[in-house]
Amino acid sequence: MANLKDIRIRINSVRTTRQVTSAMKMVSAAKLKKAQDDVEHVRPFVGKLLEVANFLGMSVDNVSERFAVFRVSQKGKVLIVPIASNKGLAGAFNSNVVKETELLLKGRFAGQEVDVLPIGKQLTKGFASRGIAVVGNYNDLLDNISIKSVSDVASQIASDFCSGKYREVHFVYNEFVNAAVQNVVTTQMLPLSLLDDDKECKYCDYIVEPDKATVLEAIVPQVINSKMYSIILESLASEHGARMTSMHKATDNATELLGDLQLQYNKARQAAITNELIEIVSGAEALNS
């Protein structure tokens, strides 16, 4: 059995760890509330913007020839942009994105030319450990998330697509469901898809000025920028939710371990006292004999 000093050291160590994990849980919980609000606010806006772009795209003749972002081509490489976090201690939040990207490389895009452009330092480390080459990173983007910084990155990606360097652009990220659930999803950013359904068009009664092609040209950059911004907000909310859940479990585990160590300490202390009493009694009997 370990001596009392070793057990006391472990108890103090676990108690300190529990304080840290508990503090991290509360910090993530506070950040999660704001991130969740941001996601709930941006989802309707992006959804409506995509609907309008889809309506205008279906209404413009030869839209794929006039707007490169709608062009479907077999030439060029595929770009995968996985998004996670610059920090760890968030459970499987980062590793799930790495695994999903690896599955895409070995499955859907096997044998094709693919560039991987991660956003998140943990992804860069994860890909390096798995031998997956990357063409750069946008890790600094997560240090200062704003519509301006995201728009700069989205514009660069769109420019590479329109120039013919890439034929498809896919994002891999954690979609926020709630604090305990985050789903890893892959979504196609470019080319923009046109959904031709049979439902009654809700925008058919609107008058578009000066014309649909001009309006479409004006909102296409907003569609791309807003879509990427929404994806990053989803990932950010998922990160805080995953970290809060992970730290909650770590705090509970530390509390349970602390109880076991305290019981072990009490047993060791009781055994030490018993041994001392036995030694005292044995010494007294030896003197009396």
Side-chain angles (χ1 to χ4, degrees):
M1 183 178 292
N3 58 48
L4 293 175
K5 182 179 179 181
D6 291 339
I7 298 176
R8 280 199 301 269
I9 292 174
R10 286 203 63 193
I11 288 175
N12 291 333
S13 176
V14 173
R15 185 175 288 120
T16 301
T17 300
R18 184 177 65 172
Q19 291 175 343
V20 173
T21 56
S22 179
M24 292 183 67
K25 171 191 169 184
M26 290 187 290
V27 170
S28 293
K31 291 182 177 180
L32 173 63
K33 180 62 173 66
K34 181 181 182 305
Q36 186 174 357
D37 289 343
D38 290 341
V39 169
E40 292 175 352
H41 291 157
V42 79
R43 277 177 178 172
F45 172 77
V46 174
K48 289 297 180 181
L49 195 59
L50 290 172
E51 285 183 11
V52 173
N54 186 72
F55 161 66
L56 294 173
M58 295 301 303
S59 304
V60 175
D61 294 333
N62 301 321
V63 65
S64 60
E65 297 178 5
R66 300 177 65 177
F67 298 93
V69 292
F70 292 100
R71 181 184 59 214
V72 178
S73 174
Q74 299 301 321
K75 298 180 180 180
K77 296 186 287 185
V78 174
L79 176 65
I80 299 178
V81 185
I83 303 173
S85 171
N86 283 337
K87 301 177 182 178
L89 298 177
F93 173 79
N94 294 298
S95 60
N96 284 342
V97 176
V98 174
K99 292 177 182 177
E100 181 65 20
T101 304
E102 188 175 29
L103 287 175
L104 290 174
L105 293 173
K106 294 182 178 180
R108 179 177 175 182
F109 300 122
Q112 302 181 36
E113 287 189 276
V114 182
D115 284 347
V116 178
L117 186 62
I119 300 178
K121 294 179 181 178
Q122 296 301 317
L123 292 181
T124 304
K125 295 178 182 178
F127 290 139
S129 65
R130 292 171 181 261
I132 299 175
V134 299
V135 295
N137 65 72
Y138 285 118
N139 298 337
D140 294 340
L141 180 64
L142 299 178
D143 295 331
N144 182 27
I145 300 175
S146 65
I147 187 64
K148 173 63 170 62
S149 59
V150 172
S151 297
D152 291 340
V153 176
S155 297
Q156 181 60 52
I157 293 174
S159 176
D160 289 339
F161 174 83
C162 293
S163 68
K165 180 178 181 180
Y166 299 113
R167 71 173 187 274
E168 292 180 15
V169 178
H170 298 269
F171 279 62
V172 182
Y173 65 100
N174 286 276
E175 183 182 48
F176 180 77
V177 179
N178 54 52
V181 180
Q182 303 86 33
N183 296 328
V184 179
V185 298
T186 301
T187 184
Q188 179 176 303
M189 172 69 72
L190 293 168
L192 294 178
S193 59
L194 295 175
L195 306 177
D196 186 11
D197 54 31
D198 296 329
K199 295 180 181 179
E200 183 179 352
C201 179
K202 65 182 71 175
Y203 301 105
C204 290
D205 293 335
Y206 285 83
I207 299 174
V208 180
E209 293 290 349
D211 58 76
K212 294 176 181 178
T214 302
V215 175
L216 181 60
E217 183 178 4
I219 70 169
V220 158
Q222 297 183 43
V223 171
I224 298 173
N225 297 342
S226 299
K227 192 174 181 181
M228 182 173 177
Y229 185 61
S230 175
I231 288 173
I232 291 181
L233 290 182
E234 292 270 0
S235 178
L236 183 63
S238 298
E239 176 190 348
H240 294 316
R243 182 169 291 111
M244 185 186 74
T245 302
S246 179
M247 292 301 99
H248 176 73
K249 293 179 180 179
T251 302
D252 289 346
N253 291 339
T255 300
E256 183 179 352
L257 179 58
L258 200 58
D260 293 341
L261 288 173
Q262 192 64 52
L263 180 61
Q264 185 180 349
Y265 177 80
N266 292 338
K267 288 181 178 179
R269 185 168 177 270
Q270 185 177 13
I273 293 173
T274 301
N275 289 334
E276 289 180 4
L277 290 175
I278 292 174
E279 290 176 359
I280 292 173
V281 172
S282 298
E285 289 180 354
L287 290 175
N288 293 332
S289 60

